[in-house]
Amino acid sequence: EVQLVESGGGLVQPGGSLRLSCAASGFTFSSKWMSWARQAPGKGLEWVANIKQDGSEGNYVDSVKGRFTISRDNAKNSLYLQMNSLRAADTAVYYCARGWGIDIWGQGTMVTVSS
Amino acid sequence: DIVMTQTPLSLSVTPGQPASISCKSSESLLNSGGKTYFYWYLQRPGQSPQLLIYEISSRFSGVPDRFSGSGSGTDFTLKISRVEADDVGVYYCMQGKQLPTFGQGTKVEIK
């Protein structure tokens, strides 16, 4: 069974940092683009970042460029999102997702940025 | 960025009746290789999104055949032939021709 399990969410103060992780199983992780998307409370979906199979290319939505870094460890079947200089507007459920055109979503992890 | 615009933003449907959602993109989603990377998702209340349709009209694994997708270029439609109670939630379109962008979502409820 294909599974994506996120972890690392929590409450952080504005300007702080957080690292999200996603454990993938049930498919050949190293063969897939991987993505992060988010959903602010009561709002719609927003794509955040994606990363190529070998980690050589990453793309970001403009609002997180320079603050967030996506990475992966194919040996551990894991995807990461390092989030720095967090803002209140980054408060959301963060989803790990498979593919550029997303076909599988994780259950999400909540990130709350508040003082 | 490609802007995706969904209509309507909400829909109330009698069980057993059809429903249709439209999604328009700000530019053509047809790529140079002849493919169109356009997707439909359903997010049921309290759940993660799930893929329904990919590349305009292909149903994802396990998706009932009452869901169908159509369209081309900049105009796309999701149709539910006979709405069931389990179809309640928010439907999103997404383009993957460039960096992904989603539509605003269409909330479907049962009358």
Side-chain angles (χ1 to χ4, degrees):
Chain A
E1 179 194 4
V2 175
Q3 223 176 356
L4 299 170
V5 179
E6 302 93 336
S7 60
L11 174 63
V12 61
Q13 291 188 340
S17 298
L18 214 52
R19 189 195 197 208
L20 305 183
S21 299
C22 170
S25 60
F27 66 100
T28 304
F29 180 74
S30 59
S31 70
K32 299 289 188 180
W33 278 82
M34 294 296 294
S35 299
W36 287 98
R38 66 185 178 183
Q39 186 169 36
K43 302 296 185 183
L45 299 170
E46 181 182 41
W47 171 82
V48 173
N50 62 18
I51 187 167
K52 197 173 180 179
Q53 289 90 332
D54 62 0
S56 62
E57 178 183 340
N59 301 292
Y60 302 88
V61 69
D62 284 349
S63 59
V64 309
K65 277 180 187 174
R67 301 187 300 122
F68 290 12
T69 303
I70 190 171
S71 62
R72 64 192 297 162
D73 185 336
N74 287 341
K76 295 182 177 180
N77 289 342
S78 293
L79 178 71
Y80 306 101
L81 187 67
Q82 177 67 43
M83 304 185 295
N84 299 330
S85 303
L86 282 161
R87 308 165 179 167
D90 297 317
T91 295
V93 174
Y94 284 74
Y95 294 102
C96 170
R98 187 176 78 170
W100 179 296
I102 294 168
D103 61 356
I104 300 292
W105 299 70
Q107 87 288 350
T109 186
M110 183 71 204
V111 172
T112 303
V113 183
S114 175
S115 54
Chain B
D1 295 3
I2 297 177
V3 177
M4 307 297 285
T5 303
Q6 289 181 231
T7 54
L9 297 184
S10 65
L11 200 51
S12 183
V13 188
T14 301
Q17 293 300 302
S20 180
I21 300 170
S22 171
C23 182
K24 296 184 188 296
S25 56
S26 59
E27 62 182 83
S28 174
L29 300 184
L30 179 64
N31 75 358
S32 56
K35 283 206 164 187
T36 302
Y37 294 108
F38 177 83
Y39 308 82
W40 287 104
Y41 301 89
L42 165 61
Q43 186 174 33
R44 294 189 174 100
Q47 295 187 16
S48 304
Q50 61 181 94
L51 176 64
L52 295 175
I53 303 286
Y54 63 97
E55 293 176 18
I56 303 178
S57 60
S58 296
R59 273 187 301 275
F60 192 55
S61 175
V63 175
D65 61 7
R66 65 178 185 275
F67 290 94
S68 64
S70 62
S72 64
T74 61
D75 293 337
F76 305 92
T77 302
L78 175 71
K79 291 184 179 177
I80 311 172
S81 58
R82 296 173 305 280
V83 171
E84 298 183 1
D86 194 43
D87 301 336
V88 163
V90 182
Y91 291 77
Y92 294 93
C93 61
M94 188 195 86
Q95 66 79 21
K97 180 186 180 185
Q98 297 176 8
L99 297 183
T101 48
F102 291 92
Q104 319 95 298
T106 296
K107 186 174 184 178
V108 172
E109 60 178 22
I110 298 295
K111 279 184 182 175

